[in-house]
């Protein structure tokens, strides 16, 4: 990151009021030259004023050395130059002082007033001296030469340094403004980069959660039914070989279905993951941070809106889902109310997953309990409820493990679509899962 204006000032490390050592050396050199000039001009001034020559030289040295403070107090330098103008000294002092005044960040009325005073002073002094020389006979010129030369001299020693100082000051302020804007823009871009990285991290977390939820929905139900059928197969293998064969066939079918869904999901993840990796590996310039943040936010919104990995299940497969649980030994009753119609894919997929996870939980925690599955197609929403009675003591559980993420995943799915999800035990000792999802 580039240094700001304050950093530039600190980096120079000049003494006193100077920003850089080079500026201090330059001003000291100007002050020495100006002091020597004023000291030499102080000799004829002392003769004309009738004062000792050393006094005139000292006066010139003091007046010329004022250039040392031209950067900090340019007004004082110009005032001194105006004050010594009647003594015909301080040409360098007046020119450099007026340039420093015009280049400084001061109100224009102050610059104009002091420049006018200095120009007027030079004009008057030149006019008086030329008239005196003409009166003594030192100059043999026409009457029009004296005012012309006076005006020309006044403009010559004030206009160029004034205009140059105004140009340099305006350019300096423009560069400072551009530097500040560049620093501000770079800080904003850095902040955008940090926010984009946070949003991208949040989007990756949301994507991981969504993938975990999809994996849970695909694997948990199928594997749970496979475990239940495997337990039943072990129990009836010797007593009822025909039933054992049917259970074995069901286990094979469910295993194949689970593998098919896993292959589809992994294929989508692999094809989508390559694009993500390519995007992450690409070097994004700092100026494109805003676009990266927008892309990350768009991916996060797509994930939150129920984007599915591949083709998801639909409500027409509820009968098959209930039939699988019934084939595994569950006593399950399905009832559908209202006019059956087609909903948005994410709505049907979420409704199916809620019923699927609820039935899986019955297999895990209440094996053998009678279960009621109810679907209600309403005007602007679809409602579903899965409720099981207390498990029978004579039927043992298949010992299925529980990760504790099923209810959380169902609630996340339903909430993402603006629905309501409620789950909890019933007064009779069973368990109830209810969800209502808007139809659009």
């Amino acid at each position: 990151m580039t240094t700001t204006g304050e950093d530039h000032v600190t980096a120079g490390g000049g003494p006193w009021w100077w920003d850089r050592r080079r500026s201090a050396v330059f001003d000291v050199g100007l002050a020495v030259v100006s002091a020597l000039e004023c000291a030499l001009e102080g000799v004829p001034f002392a003769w004309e004023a009738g004062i000792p020559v050393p006094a005139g030289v000292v006066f010139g040295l003091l007046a010329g050395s004022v250039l040392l403070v031209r950067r900090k107090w340019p007004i004082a330098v110009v005032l001194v130059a105006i004050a010594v103008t009647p003594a015909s000294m301080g040409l360098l002092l007046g020119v450099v002082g007026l340039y420093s005044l015009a280049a400084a960040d001061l109100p224009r009325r102050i610059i104009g007033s002091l420049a006018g005073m200095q120009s007027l002073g030079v004009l008057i002094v030149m006019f008086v001296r030329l008239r005196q020389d003409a009166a003594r006979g030192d100059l043999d010129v026409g009457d029009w030469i004296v005012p012309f030369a006076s005006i020309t001299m006044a403009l010559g020693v004030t206009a160029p340094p004034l205009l140059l100082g105004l140009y340099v000051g305006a350019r300096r302020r423009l560069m400072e403004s551009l530097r500040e804007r560049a620093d501000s823009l770079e800080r904003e871009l850095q902040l955008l980069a940090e926010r984009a990285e946070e949003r991208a991290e949040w989007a990756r977390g949301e994507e991981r959660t969504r993938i975990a939820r999809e994996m849970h929905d695909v694997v948990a139900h199928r594997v749970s039914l496979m475990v239940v059928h495997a337990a039943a197969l072990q129990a009836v293998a010797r007593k009822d070989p025909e039933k054992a064969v049917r259970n074995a066939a069901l286990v094979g079918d469910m295993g194949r279905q689970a593998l098919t869904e896993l292959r589809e999901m992994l294929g989508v993840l692999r094809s989508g993951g390559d694009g993500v990796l390519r995007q992450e590996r690409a070097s994004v310039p700092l100026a494109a941070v805003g676009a990266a943040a927008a892309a990350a936010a768009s991916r996060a919104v797509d994930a939150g809106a129920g984007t599915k990995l591949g083709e998801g299940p639909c409500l027409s497969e509820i009968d098959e889902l209930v039939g699988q649980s019934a084939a595994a030994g569950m006593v399950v009753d399905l009832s559908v109310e209202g006019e059956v119609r087609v909903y948005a894919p994410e709505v049907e997929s979420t409704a199916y997953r809620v019923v699927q996870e609820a039935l899986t939980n019955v297999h895990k925690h209440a094996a053998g309990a009678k279960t009621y599955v109810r679907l209600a197609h309403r005007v602007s929403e679809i409602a579903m409820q899965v409720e099981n009675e207390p498990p029978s003591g004579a039927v043992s559980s298949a010992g299925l493990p529980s990760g504790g993420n099923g209810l959380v995943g169902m609630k996340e799915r339903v909430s993402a679509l603006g629905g309501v999800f409620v789950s909890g035990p019933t007064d009779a000792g069973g368990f109830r899962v209810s969800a209502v999802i808007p139809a659009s």
Side-chain angles (χ1 to χ4, degrees):
M1 180 177 178
T2 59
T3 57
T4 61
E6 296 179 357
D7 296 332
H8 287 302
V9 171
T10 305
W16 294 346
W17 54 82
W18 287 284
D19 298 338
R20 295 172 296 181
R21 296 183 182 276
R22 185 175 61 182
S23 300
V25 173
F26 181 73
D27 286 356
V28 170
L30 281 178
V32 170
V33 174
S34 177
L36 292 176
E37 178 204 354
C38 292
L40 294 176
E41 293 171 345
V43 175
F45 168 70
W47 292 340
E48 294 177 0
I51 61 175
V53 173
V57 173
V58 172
F59 175 75
L61 289 173
L62 293 176
S65 61
V66 176
L67 270 185
L68 195 65
V69 297
R70 71 180 188 92
R71 297 179 189 267
K72 190 171 183 61
W73 296 297
I75 296 178
V77 174
V78 175
L79 290 176
V80 172
I82 295 173
V84 299
T85 299
S88 298
M89 65 172 60
L91 177 62
L92 180 62
L93 176 65
V95 172
V96 177
L98 189 58
Y99 163 82
S100 302
L101 177 70
D105 190 11
L106 294 172
R108 292 297 176 86
R109 63 179 183 273
I110 296 179
I111 297 175
S113 300
L114 292 176
M117 292 172 58
Q118 184 171 352
S119 179
L120 183 61
V122 174
L123 175 64
I124 294 174
V125 171
M126 288 299 300
F127 183 82
V128 171
R129 287 192 174 273
L130 289 176
R131 288 296 298 269
Q132 289 177 352
D133 292 342
R136 289 196 302 264
D138 296 339
L139 291 176
D140 186 11
V141 295
D143 294 338
W144 63 274
I145 294 296
V146 174
F148 175 76
S150 302
I151 295 174
T152 303
M153 185 64 180
L155 293 178
V157 298
T158 56
L162 178 65
L163 295 177
L164 181 61
L166 290 175
Y167 168 75
V168 172
R171 183 175 180 275
R172 182 183 301 157
R173 287 186 290 271
L174 176 61
M175 295 300 295
E176 291 177 356
S177 176
L178 292 176
R179 184 182 297 113
E180 291 177 359
R181 289 179 59 185
D183 293 339
S184 177
L185 180 60
E186 190 166 358
R187 286 192 295 267
E188 291 178 3
L189 289 176
Q190 189 174 13
L191 181 60
L192 280 176
E194 294 174 357
R195 290 182 178 177
E197 188 173 353
E198 292 176 359
R199 294 294 297 273
E201 183 64 29
W202 174 80
R204 286 193 291 269
E206 288 293 315
E207 190 68 13
R208 285 194 295 267
T209 302
R210 187 169 68 96
I211 293 172
R213 187 165 57 239
E214 292 286 348
M215 295 288 288
H216 178 273
D217 292 339
V218 169
V219 175
H221 181 74
R222 303 288 185 191
V223 175
S224 298
L225 290 180
M226 291 172 61
V227 173
V228 172
H229 281 293
L233 176 63
Q234 183 180 6
V236 301
R238 296 180 180 180
K239 297 180 182 179
D240 192 349
E242 294 182 0
K243 187 175 182 180
V245 171
R246 290 196 299 271
N247 286 343
L250 286 174
V251 172
D253 290 340
M254 292 178 185
R256 283 187 289 273
Q257 292 176 3
L259 286 174
T260 300
E261 294 184 8
L262 283 175
R263 287 194 189 99
E264 292 177 356
M265 182 179 299
L266 292 176
V268 173
L269 288 176
R270 184 177 293 110
S271 61
D274 293 340
V276 173
L277 288 176
R278 285 194 299 269
Q279 184 175 0
E280 289 181 353
R281 290 172 183 171
S283 58
V284 181
L286 194 59
V289 167
S298 176
R299 291 195 299 271
V301 170
D302 290 341
T307 306
K308 301 187 293 296
L309 295 172
E311 294 293 334
C314 57
L315 287 175
S316 61
E317 302 174 10
I318 290 291
D319 291 335
E320 181 183 355
L321 179 66
V322 172
Q324 292 174 355
S325 294
M330 177 188 294
V331 181
V332 56
D333 178 59
L334 173 64
S335 63
V336 180
E337 301 176 1
E339 182 181 356
V340 179
R341 61 185 187 274
V342 178
Y343 300 92
E346 60 268 17
V347 174
E348 294 209 8
S349 174
T350 300
Y352 180 92
R353 294 302 189 191
V354 169
V355 176
Q356 181 188 58
E357 180 60 28
L359 292 176
T360 302
N361 287 341
V362 175
H363 284 293
K364 290 181 179 180
H365 308 293
K370 187 174 182 179
T371 305
Y372 302 91
V373 179
R374 301 181 180 91
L375 289 178
H377 299 272
R378 300 170 183 168
V379 177
S380 60
E381 62 188 14
I382 178 173
M384 64 223 67
Q385 184 181 89
V386 180
E387 179 180 350
N388 64 275
E389 297 179 352
S392 175
V395 180
S396 60
S397 173
L400 294 169
S402 176
N405 298 318
L407 296 177
V408 175
M410 284 190 285
K411 186 174 182 180
E412 290 176 350
R413 283 179 174 274
V414 174
S415 299
L417 298 178
V420 179
F421 177 84
V422 179
S423 63
T426 62
D427 296 337
F431 198 83
R432 181 187 297 118
V433 173
S434 302
V436 179
I437 304 175
S440 57

